């Protein structure tokens, strides 16, 4: 008889903690949505440039940024929804984490296969390694949420911020590459 009472208290704790994190995820989710929009604006401004003959570079370095911003927005929406139990949250976070890990592997493969740019360590770190770590943390949180809600939600917040910062870094890196390096190549005889 004691087991259900302990489980109910853990559930009550998890649900009250979700509520405490709501403003964090409103801010983080709004930022992710705004940055996703900004990424589209940057692409629209670059639309007058000659089209690349090979889009593998965009698939490896541009598209993942939008995916990471969207994942942060999705995690924010999941945590801000009015849940009555943590099971739905855990299931959705497990899906986001597993999909993100799989996508990180795809991105690493695409970065290796593209020929328009030779990635350096920083590129591997910010386009493959750090996102895989963030998605791994999200998947781990899904498993630990019920038993350790307090540290799990801090880990989830850190993973969400990591994806947001990775996206900001990658967007800035892409813009600098396009503005500086590609323009330098265009000016060269």
């Amino acid at each position: 008889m004691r087991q259900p009472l302990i489980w109910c208290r853990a559930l009550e704790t998890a649900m009250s903690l979700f509520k405490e994190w709501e403003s964090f995820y409103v801010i983080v989710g709004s930022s992710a949505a705004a940055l996703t929009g900004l990424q589209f604006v940057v692409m629209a401004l670059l639309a007058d440039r000659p089209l690349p003959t090979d889009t593998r570079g965009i698939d490896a370095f541009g598209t993942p940024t939008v995916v990471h911003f969207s994942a942060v927005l999705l995690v924010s929406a999941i945590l801000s929804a009015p849940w009555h139990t943590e099971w739905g949250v855990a299931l959705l976070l497990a899906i986001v984490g597993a999909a993100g890990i799989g996508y990180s592997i795809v991105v690493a493969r695409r970065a290796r296969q593209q020929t328009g740019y030779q990635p350096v360590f920083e590129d591997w770190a910010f386009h493959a390694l750090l996102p895989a770590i963030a998605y791994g943390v999200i998947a781990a949180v899904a498993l630990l949420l019920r038993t350790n809600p307090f540290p799990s939600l801090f880990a989830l917040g850190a993973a969400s911020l990591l994806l947001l910062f990775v996206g900001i870094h990658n967007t800035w890196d892409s813009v600098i590459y396009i503005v500086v390096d590609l323009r330098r190549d265009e000016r060269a005889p």
Side-chain angles (χ1 to χ4, degrees):
M1 202 60 140
R2 219 174 120 98
Q3 181 84 7
L5 182 60
I6 292 170
W7 185 83
C8 287
R9 285 190 185 141
L11 174 61
E12 192 174 288
T13 301
M15 300 319 295
S16 68
L17 286 175
F18 288 170
K19 190 72 175 158
E20 290 178 21
W21 281 86
E22 188 173 8
S23 61
F24 173 84
Y25 282 106
V26 167
I27 293 168
V28 171
S30 299
S31 299
L35 290 167
T36 302
L38 186 59
Q39 180 80 359
F40 285 103
V41 169
V42 168
M43 290 306 184
L45 292 173
L46 298 172
D48 62 342
R49 298 182 57 78
L51 292 173
T53 55
D54 185 5
T55 61
R56 288 185 289 185
I58 294 169
D59 293 342
F61 301 113
T63 303
T65 301
V66 174
V67 171
H68 301 326
F69 286 151
S70 298
V72 172
L73 180 59
L74 178 58
V75 167
S76 297
I78 291 168
L79 267 284
S80 298
W83 297 98
H84 296 289
T85 70
E86 82 276 4
W87 291 107
V89 176
L91 175 63
L92 291 176
L93 291 177
I95 292 169
V96 170
I101 291 168
Y103 186 67
S104 296
I105 294 167
V106 169
V107 168
R109 191 184 75 227
R110 287 177 178 171
R112 196 175 67 245
Q113 290 174 345
Q114 61 82 35
T115 57
Y117 171 75
Q118 184 62 41
V120 296
F121 175 76
E122 179 183 356
D123 298 314
W124 292 113
F126 278 88
H127 288 278
L129 181 62
L130 292 174
I133 290 169
Y135 289 119
V137 169
I138 292 170
V141 164
L143 298 174
L144 299 172
L145 188 60
R146 184 170 164 253
T147 57
N148 295 304
F150 190 75
S152 294
L153 289 174
F154 272 99
L156 183 60
S160 297
L161 286 176
L162 179 58
L163 284 174
L164 193 65
F165 293 150
V166 161
I168 292 168
H169 170 274
N170 293 350
T171 299
W172 179 252
D173 200 40
S174 296
V175 168
I176 294 301
Y177 174 74
I178 291 166
V179 170
V180 175
D181 291 350
L182 290 183
R183 287 219 172 132
R184 183 183 321 125
D185 293 347
E186 288 174 356
R187 289 183 194 137

